[in-house]
Amino acid sequence: MKLKQGSFLWYLYLDKLYCLLSVRNVKVLVEYFHLLDVHHNNTLNDVLFYHFLHHVTNWKRRQIMIVFNMLDWNAMGEIGFDQFYMLVCILLAQQNHLEEQFIFRHSRPVFELLDLEGELRIGAENFHMYNFLFNIKKQELKELYHDFDVTGDRRLNYKEFKLFTIFTMDKYQERQKAEKENEKRERKRKRLCSKRKRSIRL
Amino acid sequence: MEEKPFRASLGSGGSDTSRPDNDIRNLWTRATLSQSKLNVPLPNVCEDSDLEDGSKARRDSDGGWDHGEYKDSFKQEELEDHSLLELQLRQESSLGSHLEEGDVDSKTEIEMSSSESSLNILKHTPHRAYWAEQQNRLPLPLMELMENEALEILTKALRSYRSAIGRDHFLTKQLQRSIEGLKRRRSKRLNLLAY
């Protein structure tokens, strides 16, 4: 998913540690929500929601309606600001490649969103349906159910899901560390090369 | 910690589309850096631009743009400006005492330094319209971006409404009125820029 460059959401950003918006950004988002809330219900219906997401993302209609049904957790046919805020945080987490951090920091709300039927368990189909939201690849999903389904019922309860978020967070931090070390080595190598060249010229 | 952040509440009332934009825009169009106008203390500027009690109550309850915090920081700014002004006046008076010895060159120097000091005053004294805007509402470029984008989205939504529920449905008319309101605000902004 890519946010449309130059759109209003494109200018917002999440706090990298807590994966939330600042108070100022929330205030601005409230004003934006009010501009779209043309019927003055403090909600957006499915039509307004579709056109909003269609304008700011490159998602297809099917994906947008999946997200709407997921967020419309009261089945009212409308979403309020709470859900809108959550959606914006998810979009920004994806845009800034903070998915692992976001799921780790907000594992409970994410679990409740994925648990469509309210059974306190998530099946692989639920995960697969929403993998475009959190960028979870098929191979990772297989590993997830293989490694973390402790109870063996082929579904994840909250504790198993939480273990998964901790594990992916650890992997993400190791990846970041490895990337930083690679960068340092690369810089050192370049400096050595340039020094050698200078000494050869002399 | 995990659940609480997503319980953001909107506060009272729906969107406040009837805010008078004229006050801030008038400040910007009439704004000059003349000395006389700069002498008006900032709290008076804020009271003048706060015309609607309802919108003020909503802003206070939201607490997003914290008036208390901004007013305290502005009071501090005022004090700093006053102390700067005093320093400059003292400099001028010390230069003035040199004048009594009858030096023509130092006269011109004093004139230059006094004009420099007035420029310094202008630099350090906050621009009324800018600070009034910062206290009471979102920055204009940001509002413009949001309104333009909302206008595009709502115009597309209007087509869907018309095809799904027809032109005469009250929801379609409500959406049309919002779009017209946004267009009117945009044209007002463009007219002001043209002047």
Side-chain angles (χ1 to χ4, degrees):
Chain A
M1 191 281 303
K2 286 267 178 232
L3 282 177
K4 185 179 173 185
Q5 197 165 351
S7 65
F8 166 66
L9 289 190
W10 188 76
Y11 288 102
L12 299 182
Y13 55 90
L14 292 181
D15 167 72
K16 279 193 171 168
L17 190 57
Y18 297 106
C19 294
L20 291 171
L21 294 177
S22 63
V23 174
R24 280 177 191 258
N25 282 351
V26 172
K27 173 69 180 176
V28 170
L29 193 66
V30 169
E31 293 295 330
Y32 184 75
F33 184 82
H34 278 147
L35 286 174
L36 297 175
D37 172 30
V38 294
H39 305 300
H40 310 298
N41 292 331
N42 288 336
T43 58
L44 298 183
N45 58 34
D46 54 338
V47 177
L48 296 167
F49 183 84
Y50 166 77
H51 284 287
F52 158 69
L53 272 184
H54 188 257
H55 185 84
V56 302
T57 67
N58 57 352
W59 280 343
K60 296 175 186 126
R61 178 174 273 275
R62 187 189 70 88
Q63 290 169 317
I64 293 173
M65 295 326 290
I66 286 173
V67 172
F68 181 82
N69 292 331
M70 179 186 76
L71 293 173
D72 179 19
W73 53 60
N74 294 330
M76 300 281 286
E78 294 172 321
I79 65 151
F81 184 73
D82 285 5
Q83 296 94 330
F84 186 74
Y85 174 66
M86 177 117 181
L87 170 67
V88 167
C89 290
I90 293 172
L91 290 175
L92 292 173
Q94 240 200 77
Q95 175 76 2
N96 299 305
H97 308 292
L98 291 170
E99 296 97 331
E100 289 97 341
Q101 204 143 343
F102 184 84
I103 298 177
F104 170 70
R105 286 283 168 191
H106 308 294
S107 52
R108 179 56 88 175
V110 169
F111 181 84
E112 286 174 1
L113 274 183
L114 296 174
D115 177 22
L116 274 180
E117 286 90 26
E119 293 169 338
L120 304 178
R121 270 161 177 72
I122 311 173
E125 327 77 49
N126 293 34
F127 251 119
H128 185 66
M129 191 161 62
Y130 297 113
N131 66 359
F132 67 91
L133 264 183
F134 300 110
N135 249 344
I136 302 170
K137 289 160 194 141
K138 240 181 182 173
Q139 184 56 33
E140 287 172 359
L141 252 181
K142 277 187 188 165
E143 283 170 9
L144 164 69
Y145 276 86
H146 184 262
D147 298 338
F148 295 97
D149 180 16
V150 176
T151 48
D153 59 352
R154 301 181 77 83
R155 294 198 292 172
L156 296 183
N157 59 25
Y158 178 65
K159 283 184 182 168
E160 291 162 348
F161 181 71
K162 183 76 189 174
L163 273 172
F164 160 69
T165 64
I166 294 168
F167 177 73
T168 42
M169 187 60 187
D170 282 343
K171 261 173 100 178
Y172 170 76
Q173 284 171 340
E174 276 168 26
R175 224 176 26 237
Q176 295 248 293
K177 221 177 173 178
E179 276 170 19
K180 276 187 187 164
E181 277 169 17
N182 281 341
E183 270 175 41
K184 268 187 189 171
R185 258 182 256 139
E186 192 61 32
R187 263 184 261 141
K188 224 177 179 178
R189 193 184 62 82
K190 283 182 180 171
R191 252 184 270 140
L192 282 168
C193 281
S194 58
K195 270 184 186 172
R196 271 186 213 146
K197 281 180 185 172
R198 263 183 255 145
S199 59
I200 289 166
R201 279 181 203 153
L202 290 169
Chain B
M1 174 71 193
E2 287 172 350
E3 291 174 20
K4 279 176 191 172
F6 291 108
R7 299 278 171 214
S9 59
L10 272 172
S12 58
S15 63
D16 188 10
T17 52
S18 59
R19 269 189 207 147
D21 288 328
N22 294 332
D23 48 345
I24 292 295
R25 279 149 180 79
N26 285 341
L27 279 175
W28 280 105
T29 53
R30 284 191 275 111
T32 57
L33 293 174
S34 61
Q35 280 279 52
S36 53
K37 283 185 182 174
L38 287 169
N39 288 335
V40 176
L42 280 169
N44 293 345
V45 171
C46 304
E47 281 163 17
D48 288 344
S49 56
D50 243 353
L51 290 173
E52 280 185 0
D53 288 335
S55 62
K56 193 186 177 189
R58 195 167 84 82
R59 283 193 292 277
D60 285 339
S61 67
D62 280 348
W65 301 98
D66 190 351
H67 288 289
E69 209 180 277
Y70 278 111
K71 279 188 177 165
D72 287 340
S73 68
F74 287 143
K75 278 183 184 160
Q76 212 174 358
E77 284 270 359
E78 270 188 64
L79 289 168
E80 283 169 11
D81 296 331
H82 282 306
S83 55
L84 268 168
L85 195 52
E86 276 176 36
L87 263 174
Q88 281 158 354
L89 289 170
R90 274 187 211 145
Q91 279 175 7
E92 282 171 35
S93 61
S94 64
L95 287 166
S97 63
H98 290 307
L99 240 192
E100 286 171 8
E101 295 168 10
D103 191 355
V104 177
D105 288 335
S106 62
K107 218 180 188 178
T108 50
E109 268 179 37
I110 287 162
E111 277 172 8
M112 278 176 63
S113 63
S114 65
S115 64
E116 275 172 16
S117 64
S118 63
L119 274 172
N120 284 335
I121 289 165
L122 292 175
K123 253 190 257 173
H124 292 295
T125 312
H127 191 292
R128 278 175 67 210
Y130 172 75
W131 288 114
E133 190 177 280
Q134 289 300 302
Q135 283 203 53
N136 296 328
R137 55 190 70 222
L138 297 173
L140 282 174
L142 184 61
M143 281 306 296
E144 193 179 324
L145 172 71
M146 279 165 41
E147 285 182 359
N148 286 341
E149 191 167 294
L151 193 57
E152 286 180 45
I153 293 168
L154 294 176
T155 309
K156 290 178 197 166
L158 182 65
R159 275 181 235 142
S160 298
Y161 271 51
R162 281 177 174 164
S163 61
I165 56 176
R167 284 176 182 264
D168 298 328
H169 198 279
F170 81 96
L171 291 174
T172 313
K173 289 183 179 173
Q174 212 169 18
L175 174 53
Q176 204 160 353
R177 278 197 294 271
S178 296
I179 291 172
E180 280 160 14
L182 281 171
K183 282 182 177 168
R184 257 184 269 125
R185 288 218 288 263
R186 188 168 69 167
S187 56
K188 254 190 200 173
R189 241 193 337 259
L190 292 170
N191 289 339
L192 283 164
L193 282 171
Y195 290 123

